[in-house]
Amino acid sequence: MSISQTNSNTLFARAQQSIPGGVNSPVRAFKSVGGSPIFIKEAKGAYLYDADGNKYIDYINSWGPMILGHAYEPVVNAICDRAKLSTSYGAPTELEIEMAELICSMAPGVDMVRMVSSGTEACMSAVRLARGYTGRNKIIKFEGCYHGHADAFLVKAGSGLATFNIQTVPGVPASVSDDTLTAPYNDLEAIETLVRNNKDQVAAIIIEPVAGNMGCIPPSKGFLEGLRSVCDREGIVFIFDEVMTGFRLAAGGAQELLGIRADLVTYGKVIGGGLPVGAFGGRREIMQHIAPLGNVYQAGTLSGNPIAMIAGYTMLKTLKDDPSIYTKLTDTTQKLHQELDKVFAPSGIPYVINRVGSMISLHFSSKPVTNFADAASADNTLFNKFFHAMLQAGIYLPPSAYETWFISTAVSEADVQATLQAAAAFVKQYQA
Ligand SMILES: *Cc1c(COP(=O)(O)O)cnc(C)c1O
């Protein structure tokens, strides 16, 4: 059986005439898994509907933001009501204070926060602040971690760069990338060496506290604690990139779930409730170096935009007021994990499922996946086949083994069962 993709194919052909690659963000193009992307018409709850009228259970959820499912009514209504009061002023509003206060009340150790319009901007600005604050230039990031597309981060980055095997990015000057040092995820020894060899030169260590851009990879026991003490000892700013994990793993993000404090934290995805929002925040002592309080310049015409703020505020307030949301998310994801185990374990296909809270991924690997090298050595050709088999069965997974699946509260028991049936059919076909 094959789903009809006639309208999507027509749209994709047309899109390629006026948009590079036909998409506004590379991983959407299905280039690595093959085939052409489906064009979405609308979505509600757990389901996406495409231009050909096909229905899919959505495990991307806009790469995270739609944590309460699509077209979540309180957010949609808040956006509509607020839009009538004009969509932007370029002057301060009380709503921005409410948003900042809400974030500070949820995120551990965040005394002050600055709103931006994307996760990229948040990470880029946090690194500038760390450099301005310490007076040092170098930063350390981890192989396979993605912190957005700013120049300094496009070194051994995960997500789309891993998917398309882009090693060096034309347009990023060596003078910029030379200041970005990298180490394998979960390798504390490598960090000690880097810090020793670059004594008093490292401004920041930036990390995804639970990695989600090489599939899902949890930090090993003691790893983040070790980084925390290196940063304390060496006067390095410890930045948690919680663009993916923030407000997803817990109301207080990975900091709360794992019980570790960063000096600066970056947010994106869930924080905007589906609108373009990012934020960075942290200790007052560091944040007060941001302009106009300090001289580290950072600005944005649409930063703190009222429509974006009301969407984000409504989303975060819901998450703060109802802790059972996180229990439900974890329960659904755990169920999916256990049942996928039942499908794959007897099959003889080597596989690894990593999961933290409502982040989960599947690697076709015969050894544990603890860093980027492990993720890259998995059978990603098999993943691509799995992706297409699932898509044909109405299950929309991220089109790359280097991406986490995102679960929303809208995913029902029946949706999980439908997903497993599709996976079981894939295994059966594989074995035949
Ligand atoms: C998505 C992501 C980013 C970039 O956010 P954009 O809003 O796409 O710019 C940064 N860091 C992490 C961990 C992400 O997952």
Side-chain angles (χ1 to χ4, degrees), residues 238-258:
F238 196 20
I239 305 174
F240 269 18
D241 178 353
E242 295 228 40
V243 171
M244 196 180 279
T245 55
F247 311 103
R248 169 163 287 278
L249 295 183
Q255 284 199 101
E256 178 185 320
L257 185 78
L258 306 173

Side-chain angles (χ1 to χ4, degrees), residues 34-339:
S36 69
I38 52 170
F39 278 66
I40 305 302
K41 213 162 182 182
E42 59 185 294
K44 177 74 189 160
Y47 311 115
L48 292 172
Y49 301 88
D50 73 9
D52 291 278
N54 301 303
K55 176 183 175 183
Y56 306 87
I57 300 170
D58 186 13
Y59 286 103
I60 299 185
N61 281 295
S62 186
W63 305 91
M66 314 318 280
I67 192 167
L68 302 174
H70 287 279
Y72 179 68
E73 262 172 40
V75 171
V76 172
N77 292 340
I79 291 171
C80 293
D81 290 347
R82 190 75 210 190
K84 293 172 192 146
L85 309 180
S86 182
T87 52
S88 188
Y89 317 112
T93 58
E94 184 175 1
L95 182 53
E96 291 163 83
I97 312 173
E98 282 171 2
M99 182 67 164
E101 288 173 352
L102 181 61
I103 294 167
C104 293
S105 76
M106 295 172 80
V110 172
D111 305 323
M112 297 181 112
V113 62
R114 170 63 61 86
M115 303 309 302
V116 294
S117 301
S118 70
T120 295
E121 251 190 287
C123 295
M124 179 186 89
S125 308
V127 161
R128 181 183 305 142
L129 175 56
R131 284 172 163 160
Y133 173 71
T134 58
R136 302 170 177 178
N137 283 342
K138 293 184 179 172
I139 60 165
I140 297 177
K141 74 176 283 291
F142 293 88
E143 292 165 17
C145 280
Y146 180 69
H147 305 294
H149 67 88
D151 286 354
F153 301 128
L154 299 183
V155 182
K156 296 190 178 166
S159 190
L161 290 98
T163 302
F164 303 125
N165 194 24
I166 297 172
Q167 300 294 337
T168 50
V169 179
V172 176
S175 57
V176 173
S177 43
D178 284 352
D179 279 332
T180 302
L181 313 173
T182 62
Y185 201 79
N186 281 323
D187 189 343
L188 197 54
E189 204 57 35
I191 291 298
E192 290 286 8
T193 307
L194 279 179
V195 168
R196 203 179 318 119
N197 293 342
N198 297 275
K199 186 78 185 154
D200 297 331
Q201 295 175 66
V202 179
I205 296 179
I206 184 167
I207 189 167
E208 293 178 64
V210 173
N213 285 292
M214 41 184 162
C216 174
I217 299 188
S220 55
K221 205 170 175 320
F223 177 56
L224 295 174
E225 289 83 350
L227 293 178
R228 177 71 271 178
S229 51
V230 169
C231 288
D232 288 340
R233 193 186 69 212
E234 305 287 338
I236 296 170
V237 176
F238 196 20
I239 305 174
F240 269 18
D241 178 353
E242 295 228 40
V243 171
M244 196 180 279
T245 55
F247 311 103
R248 169 163 287 278
L249 295 183
Q255 284 199 101
E256 178 185 320
L257 185 78
L258 306 173
I260 303 192
R261 290 289 172 86
D263 300 310
L264 290 178
V265 190
T266 62
Y267 295 106
K269 301 194 166 104
V270 174
I271 201 173
L275 267 69
V277 181
F280 62 103
R283 285 169 37 210
R284 186 176 306 273
E285 183 207 345
I286 304 177
M287 288 302 289
Q288 67 191 8
H289 289 265
I290 285 282
L293 204 50
N295 288 336
V296 179
Y297 198 73
Q298 189 282 327
T301 302
L302 292 176
S303 296
N305 170 272
I307 310 305
M309 291 303 97
I310 201 64
Y313 181 88
T314 308
M315 175 74 83
L316 298 195
K317 191 81 171 73
T318 307
L319 295 172
K320 184 185 178 183
D321 291 346
D322 184 1
S324 79
I325 287 171
Y326 292 102
T327 317
K328 181 172 193 304
L329 283 169
T330 302
D331 286 352
T332 304
T333 315
Q334 198 168 0
K335 177 88 187 168
L336 184 65
H337 184 171
Q338 286 165 350
E339 298 288 318

